[in-house]
Amino acid sequence: MKIDRVLAMTVLLLNRGRISAKELADRFEVSTKTIYRDMDTLSRAGIPVAAYPGASGGFELMEHYTISRQHLTVDEIASIFAAVKGVKVALDDRALDGLLEKVGALLRRSGSGQGAAYSEKLLFDLNPWGQGKDARGKLGLLRQAMEQSRRVRLQYINMNGTDSGRVVEPGRLILKGNVWYVQAYCLLRRDFRSFRLSRIQGIEVLDERFEPRELPPQERFDWKPDWSEAAAVGVTLRFSAAVRHRVGDAFDHHQVHVLEDGSLRVQGDFPLDEWFYGMILSYGGHVVIEEPAQAAEEVVRRAEHILRLYRNADTLLSTSVGYNGCI
């Protein structure tokens, strides 16, 4: 509907600033002529749209224009309310109480119980499994450091198991799936790095102040190949049907092919690093590496090492404490 499109355009212009007619036409899948007519409709409705000619031209809302509560539906306000509740629980931040009250007031003033009922149907629980209190403590210290522009000393274990101390300038907290990260400027690397909170073994907020740096532009938090020391190679895995639910959680659907016997073949490019081998071993006897051969050989080597450890442990127990097979 036209009314939905022009409202969406208004919100887009508020968030993005100047946008060309072609970009708007591509986004809303209409012609540029339709875009010009929509802009005329907005102007006649009293929304101050300015048009700029030239290669860098486009449409832009005049400065200081804002959108009022009446432009939000009851369900949209309810969604915001549920999201704020989830953030408050994760961050344990009393400062969000005020925001929660304001959004809740908008919901109550809507005059309908529909929005309140809708918000109860949405639950945003941003606490990672098994890391509730621990994660909140780390988040609290990092947020404090960001607000006060103070450097932080981290004791960190990277993905290869190496323990190191870093002094960083925290700039952004990121929730990826159910895992928290902090993006910070690392004084050792002289660049921005992302640190997984679950791998932070210690945090100390220092008295040293810093001038906040411009954060790298980021709309998504995607995996970067240069984060691993190992180069990505083509890998083919075959999983038994018994772990189909886990395979669906761990891999993109386009990488997974269900075979006639119910087993699953996964094909993709992966770095052959500690994460990869740990992931493979976590499936026990429910996965086989079909390609490459050197990856399969490395898993065999690691499995044999684990077997030797348990055999040695069994020998030590039986000789030192008279272990008889019972606990």
Side-chain angles (χ1 to χ4, degrees):
M1 294 177 61
K2 180 177 179 178
I3 186 63
D4 294 332
R5 186 173 67 247
V6 295
L7 178 57
M9 286 181 187
T10 305
V11 174
L12 190 63
L13 289 167
L14 276 169
N15 290 329
R16 293 272 304 277
R18 189 176 304 182
I19 307 177
S20 69
K22 184 180 184 306
E23 185 178 350
L24 288 169
D26 292 342
R27 186 181 183 95
F28 293 99
E29 299 180 345
V30 295
S31 66
T32 54
K33 288 184 178 180
T34 299
I35 295 298
Y36 281 102
R37 286 196 295 268
D38 289 343
M39 291 300 142
D40 184 57
T41 299
L42 288 175
S43 296
R44 285 188 280 108
I47 296 176
V49 180
Y52 297 88
S56 60
F59 298 102
E60 185 176 321
L61 291 181
M62 296 184 69
E63 196 174 356
H64 305 309
Y65 177 77
T66 59
I67 192 168
S68 70
R69 177 181 66 85
Q70 284 75 17
H71 289 92
L72 296 173
T73 68
V74 175
D75 285 349
E76 287 170 341
I77 297 172
S79 297
I80 295 172
F81 183 77
V84 173
K85 283 177 64 178
V87 172
K88 181 181 181 299
V89 171
L91 299 180
D92 195 21
D93 188 351
R94 293 184 179 179
L96 289 173
D97 287 340
L99 177 58
L100 201 59
E101 286 295 329
K102 291 174 184 177
V103 179
L106 291 179
L107 202 57
R108 291 190 294 272
R109 287 165 58 189
S110 66
S112 169
Q114 178 184 358
Y118 183 78
S119 68
E120 291 299 321
K121 295 177 182 178
L122 287 174
L123 174 63
F124 294 87
D125 188 347
L126 307 183
N127 287 316
W129 290 107
Q131 299 180 39
K133 292 182 179 179
D134 186 46
R136 281 199 297 271
K138 295 174 183 176
L139 287 168
L141 288 173
L142 290 168
R143 292 190 70 216
Q144 173 192 336
M146 285 189 285
E147 291 167 1
Q148 299 175 359
S149 297
R150 292 167 63 183
R151 288 174 174 163
V152 173
R153 180 179 286 111
L154 303 179
Q155 198 63 32
Y156 191 72
I157 299 177
N158 67 17
M159 64 186 301
N160 295 315
T162 304
D163 194 341
S164 65
R166 304 285 186 93
V167 176
V168 303
E169 299 172 355
R172 175 187 285 149
L173 291 171
I174 301 171
L175 179 67
K176 176 69 173 179
N178 66 341
V179 179
W180 283 101
Y181 297 83
V182 58
Q183 190 176 40
Y185 184 84
C186 177
L187 271 63
L188 176 65
R189 303 301 183 191
R190 298 186 181 278
D191 197 3
F192 279 95
R193 291 289 188 270
S194 296
F195 301 90
R196 180 169 171 156
L197 262 65
S198 61
R199 295 182 186 150
I200 295 176
Q201 304 302 298
I203 299 179
E204 180 187 358
V205 180
L206 305 176
D207 291 331
E208 302 172 23
R209 304 270 179 175
F210 66 89
E211 190 68 28
R213 304 171 191 267
E214 183 177 355
L215 288 165
Q218 194 162 5
E219 292 186 2
R220 295 179 49 167
F221 188 56
D222 292 327
W223 177 264
K224 296 180 181 179
D226 57 1
W227 289 351
S228 174
E229 295 178 359
V233 299
V235 174
T236 302
L237 310 172
R238 183 161 177 166
F239 294 87
S240 71
V243 292
R244 183 171 184 172
H245 59 293
R246 285 190 60 192
V247 173
D249 291 340
F251 301 96
D252 291 336
H253 68 90
H254 67 271
Q255 296 177 314
V256 182
H257 306 278
V258 181
L259 305 180
E260 291 184 1
D261 62 356
S263 62
L264 303 99
R265 178 169 285 132
V266 173
Q267 294 175 303
D269 293 334
F270 304 99
L272 302 182
D273 54 16
E274 289 299 320
W275 171 87
F276 175 80
Y277 291 114
M279 179 271 294
I280 292 296
L281 289 169
S282 73
Y283 284 90
H286 293 291
V287 62
V288 172
I289 300 177
E290 295 183 339
E291 293 180 351
Q294 67 265 29
E297 292 166 2
E298 176 62 16
V299 170
V300 170
R301 187 190 69 79
R302 291 176 181 236
E304 289 175 343
H305 177 67
I306 293 171
L307 184 59
R308 286 195 300 271
L309 286 176
Y310 276 88
R311 283 176 174 167
N312 291 338
D314 185 56
T315 301
L316 287 172
L317 283 171
S318 62
T319 57
S320 63
V321 295
Y323 174 65
N324 59 7
C326 300
I327 297 177

